[in-house]
Amino acid sequence: MSGAPTVAIIGRPNVGKSTLFNRLIGGRDAIVDARPGVTRDRHFGAAEWNGRRFWLVDTGGMVPGAQDQLNRAIRTQVEAAVAASDVVLFLVDVEAGVHPADLEIAQYLRKAHRPVILVANKADQLPKDTRHLAFYELGLGDPFPVSAAVGKSSGDLLDRVVELLPVAPEASQEAEIHVAVVGRPNVGKSSLVNRLLGEERLVVADEPGTTRDAIDTPLSYEGHTLVFIDTAGLRKRSKVADDIEFYSTLRTSQAIERADVCVLVVDAKDGMHVQDLKIANDAWERGAAIIVAVNKWDLIEEKETNTAARGQRELEERAPFLQFIPFLYLSAKTGQRVPKLLELILEVAEERTKRVPTSEVNRVLGALVDRQQPPQPVGESVRLLYASQIGTAPPRFAIVSNRPEAISEAYTRYLVNGFREAWRFTGSPLNLKLRRRRETARR
């Protein structure tokens, strides 16, 4: 999908860009709210129509002439989206009529030399509605009336979009690796993604919580397609009073759920908080591989040789699963060790999909049982009969026993640790199921 054409939706604030985005991709991926300025970054979504696949990009509202930091950053993002697009949907509002900002944006688009479809939104009374005709004044051709809220003419609009798309290159057979960049607010997630991408793809501002949506950004690396999801900073639920932030938190949880790899960004000066551990635990339980990226490492003065190792051991005592997760100490600001993160992402993604032959699984299981027999409660003796890997992403194993209910949690942990000692599965959860032999079950 990363090589597919790109369609950008732009316009001034509150004309319905996110509503149209959701309508065209057939979901509710963008946050929609009556207040202007809710969408700040470029928001990528996969769309398909008449067999043609393309990236649809939602953008923040352009406010021509605004000089504050955030609006200047949003304008930069919109300009980047237009520069990277194959087709631009310029959205205007028939209820408000021709706005001075529409005239300025139209002037900018004429200089951008991109195919533009002028989309007149909120034309809810089609086909009787004629208010879109006023937008001929913009000099961008025939206004295309739609109602994004109720879906009127959205199919016709997609037909027009597909007509203008360039011929897509052959799709890569390489599976995408979805990478969710997660963490508490203001730890440098967007700065890290920008450094990885080599451009200012995401809005970065001093104001905490600048990123609100989960944003999909594709990157080709070493023959693989990495799709980065830069997510809104997670806070404790009790602090999520604003409804927009609540939905941002929900999107972040959904991003973790569909991620293959989660990069948990932690501030080196603040250390790992309880909330960081909760984020990591959520991702682990959902089956994602995890990397802990300790950001702002350049700000730690007088680092001792074992500073990182000592802090890591303390964390592993609080959350034992962290011993299986790689920690990378980096600086998004200076670029220190950032390239290593891409290598680690590929490594843990490969570990998460690794498959072990059944003969090897049973050899290791036999060695573990020989080293330490399962505890034998009163009654029939407990025997582990055979094992196999039953799935990947994350790796899943099943062990068949005559009495699976009698195997203690401590012995199950011993087996899991033994499997990890044999095959590592670095950064990835490992699930082990104990099953009863079928013949016994039938009896």
Side-chain angles (χ1 to χ4, degrees):
M1 188 67 195
S2 60
T6 301
V7 178
I9 304 175
I10 77 163
R12 61 185 179 82
N14 222 27
V15 293
K17 295 183 296 298
S18 294
T19 303
L20 181 64
F21 175 89
N22 288 333
R23 174 66 62 183
L24 296 185
I25 66 170
R28 295 193 60 82
D29 276 6
I31 296 172
V32 179
D33 193 270
R35 282 170 281 178
V38 174
T39 302
R40 297 174 171 188
D41 289 302
R42 283 177 286 165
H43 181 168
F44 287 73
E48 184 171 355
W49 187 255
N50 288 343
R52 291 298 310 275
R53 300 186 71 200
F54 56 93
W55 287 106
L56 190 65
V57 186
D58 187 16
T59 63
M62 286 185 72
V63 182
Q67 293 302 310
D68 61 281
Q69 182 187 8
L70 191 58
N71 273 305
R72 281 190 285 113
I74 290 172
R75 182 180 179 89
T76 299
Q77 302 313 307
V78 173
E79 290 174 352
V82 170
S85 67
D86 298 287
V87 176
V88 176
L89 302 182
F90 174 25
L91 204 63
V92 293
D93 180 348
V94 299
E95 291 181 351
V98 179
H99 190 280
D102 296 331
L103 291 165
E104 291 194 44
I105 295 171
Q107 185 176 1
Y108 155 70
L109 284 175
R110 280 194 290 273
K111 297 176 182 176
H113 304 296
R114 287 287 185 275
V116 176
I117 302 175
L118 177 59
V119 183
N121 191 28
K122 305 183 185 178
D124 299 342
Q125 305 305 316
L126 289 173
K128 297 178 181 178
D129 205 325
T130 59
R131 292 173 293 175
H132 62 283
L133 299 177
F135 290 91
Y136 273 105
E137 180 185 346
L138 299 181
L140 291 173
D142 297 335
F144 199 110
V146 302
S147 173
V150 298
K152 288 185 178 179
S153 292
S154 58
D156 294 335
L157 176 59
L158 283 166
D159 287 340
R160 178 65 178 142
V161 167
V162 167
E163 287 175 7
L164 293 177
L165 291 179
V167 176
E170 287 293 321
S172 170
Q173 297 302 309
E174 184 68 51
E176 294 176 342
I177 301 171
H178 287 83
V179 184
V181 183
V182 298
R184 293 179 299 111
N186 218 32
V187 294
K189 297 183 298 299
S190 294
S191 297
L192 179 58
V193 175
N194 283 336
R195 174 68 69 169
L196 288 167
L197 297 170
E199 62 167 301
E200 294 296 313
R201 189 81 66 98
L202 305 175
V203 170
V204 178
D206 295 334
E207 173 193 348
T210 308
T211 304
R212 288 177 170 177
D213 279 317
I215 303 156
D216 285 10
T217 311
L219 171 70
S220 293
Y221 178 73
E222 297 290 332
H224 298 266
T225 300
L226 307 180
V227 180
F228 282 92
I229 312 165
D230 181 63
T231 55
L234 281 176
R235 303 177 196 267
K236 292 181 181 177
R237 271 304 159 86
S238 59
K239 294 184 179 179
V240 185
D242 185 278
D243 57 340
I244 296 175
E245 188 167 347
F246 167 77
Y247 285 113
S248 294
T249 305
L250 181 62
R251 300 292 195 277
T252 301
S253 298
Q254 292 171 337
I256 291 173
E257 193 162 1
R258 66 188 178 91
D260 302 303
V261 178
C262 283
V263 177
L264 174 59
V265 184
V266 176
D267 189 311
K269 298 194 78 172
D270 291 346
M272 190 175 257
H273 289 229
V274 172
Q275 184 66 3
D276 294 315
L277 291 174
K278 183 182 182 302
I279 295 169
N281 191 65
D282 285 351
W284 192 254
E285 289 185 349
R286 292 179 182 181
I290 300 176
I291 298 166
V292 176
V294 183
N295 191 27
K296 308 181 186 178
W297 192 240
D298 56 307
L299 301 180
I300 303 299
E301 299 175 0
E302 299 179 4
K303 291 188 276 284
E304 299 175 10
T305 306
N306 62 347
T307 299
R310 187 173 60 248
Q312 198 167 320
R313 282 195 302 271
E314 292 172 359
L315 288 171
E316 289 169 2
E317 290 173 3
R318 293 166 59 190
F321 71 92
L322 290 177
Q323 65 186 292
F324 310 121
I325 293 172
F327 281 63
L328 184 61
Y329 298 81
L330 50 78
S331 169
K333 183 177 180 180
T334 67
Q336 179 187 14
R337 297 196 190 95
V338 170
K340 176 66 177 174
L341 181 57
L342 291 173
E343 297 173 20
L344 262 181
I345 289 168
L346 293 185
E347 180 184 331
V348 299
E350 184 177 350
E351 290 283 289
R352 184 171 176 264
T353 57
K354 186 161 63 180
R355 185 171 286 279
V356 182
T358 300
S359 59
E360 173 72 3
V361 176
N362 283 285
R363 183 190 67 78
V364 170
L365 176 64
L368 290 170
V369 172
D370 288 344
R371 187 193 308 168
Q372 182 176 326
Q373 290 286 328
Q376 300 293 332
V378 177
E380 184 184 4
S381 62
V382 175
R383 289 175 294 136
L384 304 185
L385 304 172
Y386 56 89
S388 63
Q389 185 173 0
I390 58 173
T392 60
R396 299 185 298 281
F397 292 83
I399 296 178
V400 176
S401 170
N402 63 325
R403 295 183 64 190
E405 75 286 348
I407 298 174
S408 66
E409 185 177 334
Y411 193 76
T412 302
R413 280 199 305 273
Y414 162 74
L415 295 174
V416 168
N417 290 338
F419 282 7
R420 281 196 180 277
E421 187 180 338
W423 308 303
R424 303 302 299 169
F425 297 114
T426 303
S428 176
L430 189 158
N431 296 332
L432 180 60
K433 293 184 179 296
L434 297 168
R435 293 179 174 175
R436 182 177 295 277
R437 186 168 52 184
R438 289 179 181 176
E439 298 93 316
T440 306
R442 281 200 293 270
R443 286 202 298 271

